[in-house]
Amino acid sequence: MLKVTSDTTTIRNVAVIGSGLAGLTSAIFLGRMGHHVRVFEKSRGPGGRMSSKRVSGGSADIGAQYFTARNPEFLAFLKQHAGTDAFGVWPARFGFQAKDNSWQSFPDENRYVGTPRMTAITRALSAGLDINAEVRIERLIAQGNQWQLECTEGQNRGTFDQVVITAPPAQARDILAASGLDELAGQLTQPVEQILPCWAVAAHFAQPPAEQFDAMRPNSDELYWVANNSSKPGRDDQGQWWVLHATPEWTQEHVDTEADVVSHKLVEAFSALTGTKLEPTETVAHRWLYARSADGEKPGYLLDQQKRIGLAGDWLAGGRVEGAWESASQLVRAMQ
Ligand SMILES: Cc1cc2nc3c(=O)[nH]c(=O)nc-3n(C[C@H](O)[C@H](O)[C@H](O)COP(=O)(O)OP(=O)(O)OC[C@H]3O[C@@H](n4cnc5c(N)ncnc54)[C@H](O)[C@@H]3O)c2cc1C
């Protein structure tokens, strides 16, 4: 676990851009070191891609589906800062479809989810942090040894000694480019090209479609992932909510297709996959332009010590939730 060294640390004002897991982790660790931290988030609340959508009777996780905690320090961090009520193990039956279309079980591993929804974790982590929601940071303006943050409305959002950017690569690059930080922005060219989009659909079935697995990785052109959201711990749904994620290729082809049409097509693909004749009673769709990073280099974080700007996020540490935490932990350690 990161050491707290406030007795030897110079107290600084630090801005964190983004309140997904990487932003919240950075803010918590920096705060523990005694720094004054303000978090800026363009959306209405924290969470980023650990996202849940309110639906009739509850909520459905439309972003990250579950996460691993292979590093015991990650689990310890969550227990300490989110609390054990905010997450739990998802004891689901996980299966994948091989190239010959036969179904096989995923290897056993603890897979965690937020309870009663994915956002419970980021909500709990953000308690006690200074989060400024609905503020999209446009650019950083140099003020001597400090950075002034300007939002899209042109307002000055404060002056800081250090800035941590945890937005996905395309949005991070926009901020850096608008700030004249071209060299740093240039380092993001490849990560920007490697991030993949994803259409997500949550579909409610009044009667449970009988399935061998609760969570599936099909061998399909349309569907990348299919899961019974109602099988996660702490959900109390009437009927079942299923979450369907399209493949990156299908999403790319349908990136401008209307949400209703996307829902219809992905439910059709679900029916073809499972053989269910049941019609959903309700569907909601969400388009992620920046969902997952393709496998690439894993530098962990980017830090320009001289300019006092650090970058963290899943895309710097192999993608996924645990990568976001690893990246932020490594960045803060390097910033000391
Ligand atoms: C559909 C989908 C399925 C996934 N499935 C899984 C899974 O099963 N398991 C797993 O481990 N991972 C999964 N992931 C990936 C996982 O969600 C991410 O790896 C992780 O949540 C990324 O956290 P982060 O903090 O790096 O970035 P984010 O969560 O994207 O946080 C970045 C934040 O920055 C904010 N922001 C951006 N620009 C600005 C700006 N200019 N000013 C202010 N704020 C800004 C954004 O609004 C966002 O809140 C999935 C992702 C998606 C989309």
Side-chain angles (χ1 to χ4, degrees):
M1 184 69 72
L2 210 68
K3 290 232 167 55
V4 181
T5 55
S6 53
D7 50 339
T8 55
T9 305
T10 308
I11 303 305
R12 293 179 292 245
N13 284 325
V14 188
V16 173
I17 303 176
S19 69
L21 189 65
L24 297 174
T25 302
S26 307
I28 288 170
F29 279 141
L30 288 163
R32 282 175 45 165
M33 290 160 64
H35 299 305
H36 303 299
V37 186
R38 288 182 76 193
V39 181
F40 297 94
E41 170 55 53
K42 72 175 172 57
S43 304
R44 267 185 297 164
R49 281 171 279 159
M50 291 177 77
S51 166
S52 322
K53 223 180 180 83
R54 291 227 168 257
V55 291
S56 302
S59 59
D61 301 332
I62 46 146
Q65 296 295 291
Y66 68 84
F67 57 92
T68 55
R70 292 171 187 151
N71 181 343
E73 291 187 7
F74 179 35
L75 203 54
F77 171 89
L78 287 178
K79 284 181 181 162
Q80 181 177 357
H81 294 285
T84 48
D85 287 348
F87 70 102
V89 172
W90 183 18
R93 300 160 299 163
F94 287 81
F96 70 93
Q97 204 171 16
K99 286 212 167 73
D100 65 1
N101 286 342
S102 64
W103 284 95
Q104 295 171 28
S105 294
F106 270 107
D108 277 346
E109 179 172 26
N110 274 349
R111 297 179 175 89
Y112 297 90
V113 294
T115 50
R117 59 189 68 86
M118 197 52 103
T119 45
I121 297 171
T122 45
R123 186 164 294 272
L125 291 177
S126 60
L129 294 177
D130 179 1
I131 306 232
N132 300 259
E134 296 187 86
V135 179
R136 180 192 276 262
I137 299 301
E138 179 78 14
R139 62 178 181 142
L140 320 178
I141 303 164
Q143 302 278 325
N145 274 339
Q146 293 184 306
W147 290 106
Q148 181 184 308
L149 262 62
E150 189 179 273
C151 67
T152 31
E153 286 77 31
Q155 274 172 280
N156 170 7
R157 293 292 177 163
T159 306
F160 300 88
D161 304 309
Q162 282 184 319
V163 181
V164 171
I165 304 177
T166 67
Q171 292 157 336
R173 187 180 64 174
D174 288 349
I175 297 171
L176 294 168
S179 313
L181 294 159
D182 296 333
E183 205 185 311
L184 213 42
Q187 292 185 47
L188 275 61
T189 306
Q190 209 184 356
V192 169
E193 285 165 5
Q194 285 178 334
I195 196 147
L196 307 168
C198 176
W199 264 114
V201 168
H204 179 262
F205 294 91
Q207 300 298 321
E211 277 314 320
Q212 185 187 353
F213 295 105
D214 306 301
M216 295 173 258
R217 176 72 65 79
N219 178 30
S220 152
D221 291 337
E222 295 97 353
L223 292 168
Y224 175 82
W225 168 262
V226 170
N228 175 5
N229 196 76
S230 304
S231 71
K232 294 180 177 181
R235 278 67 175 171
D236 190 18
D237 301 324
Q238 300 286 324
Q240 287 182 353
W241 278 97
W242 282 74
V243 171
L244 321 175
H245 285 167
T247 59
E249 298 76 20
W250 192 92
T251 302
Q252 202 67 65
E253 271 172 43
H254 296 83
V255 81
D256 293 322
T257 304
E258 281 181 26
D260 283 354
V261 177
V262 167
S263 295
H264 181 74
K265 285 179 182 290
L266 291 187
V267 167
E268 251 180 16
F270 175 69
S271 300
L273 178 77
T274 60
T276 182
K277 301 267 184 293
L278 297 169
E279 287 290 327
T281 54
E282 189 182 335
T283 56
V284 284
H286 182 86
R287 185 188 63 180
W288 295 97
L289 286 178
Y290 312 120
R292 271 179 291 251
S293 293
D295 278 344
E297 281 184 51
K298 297 175 188 167
Y301 60 89
L302 294 177
L303 177 61
D304 188 326
Q305 288 277 22
Q306 220 182 356
K307 294 204 162 65
R308 303 161 315 283
I309 295 175
L311 279 88
D314 66 334
W315 55 279
L316 287 154
R320 310 186 75 76
V321 168
E322 191 166 6
W325 182 84
E326 290 284 357
S327 172
S329 311
Q330 289 175 29
L331 173 66
V332 174
R333 202 174 287 130
M335 280 168 67
Q336 285 184 67

